[in-house]
Amino acid sequence: MDLRTAKTERAIRSAFLELRAKKPLERITVKELCQRAEIHKSTFYDHYEDLYALSDALENQVLDSVLENLTHPEDLFDNPERFTRELFLAYCSQDALLHVLFSDGRGAGLVQKIQRGVKELAFARRPDLREDPVANIALSYAIYGGYYALEENRSYGLEQIVQVIASASRDVQKLLQDRRDPQKNL
């Protein structure tokens, strides 16, 4: 990417984030974004199909940053406490940006994308668990439950939240170890 293109890209993204911090995605117009970024509408459309494509690109970029910090995604199965700490620290390192991009009822999209990314990483390292229903259900529970527990209980402080969620993750690991066959204990 040449310098001019990179500068334009930064201007578009910066203007979008400034606007997005103040209002819902649905209320932002390409015209106001272009005014703030000091570019022509045609320049915007050279880079993005629409505002939703821009938002999606930024969401994916920040989620990639979160997922890049997961050095051992297979820890979800082998050491869930360490995995939980690593995931929540990675998430919190991008907290402000995540809250801007996924505000106004878009939080479900965030946790869905996190789950998809974590599953991809974890199952790449543990392909034997990819089709295991218990592993998939436990992973969904850990990701969704952990995310909403964090969001709903921020007043207790990150360290305490992570500690409780990590303990719950350890119990999920026991479920994985005890119930390899979902029919076994029914």
Side-chain angles (χ1 to χ4, degrees), residues 19-31:
L19 290 167
R20 187 68 182 90
K22 296 176 184 172
K23 58 168 90 175
L25 177 60
E26 296 76 21
R27 302 220 31 227
I28 298 172
T29 66
V30 172
K31 180 180 178 180

Side-chain angles (χ1 to χ4, degrees), residues 101-148:
L101 291 170
F102 291 96
S103 62
D104 302 318
R106 296 177 59 83
L110 167 62
V111 72
Q112 185 178 44
K113 287 182 176 190
I114 288 174
Q115 177 189 244
R116 190 177 13 221
V118 168
K119 276 188 173 186
E120 187 178 308
L121 289 172
F123 292 144
R125 300 212 182 151
R126 290 290 307 272
D128 58 306
L129 297 176
R130 184 176 302 278
E131 300 302 322
D132 184 319
V134 176
N136 277 278
I137 293 166
L139 191 144
S140 294
Y141 178 82
I143 299 296
Y144 277 85
Y147 169 77
Y148 287 110

Side-chain angles (χ1 to χ4, degrees), residues 13 17 38 41-42 44 55 77 83 95 107 143 146-147 164:
R13 290 172 181 232
L17 291 172
E38 299 178 343
K41 283 174 74 172
S42 61
F44 172 82
S55 183
F77 306 116
F83 169 81
D95 197 40
I143 299 296
Y147 169 77
V164 170

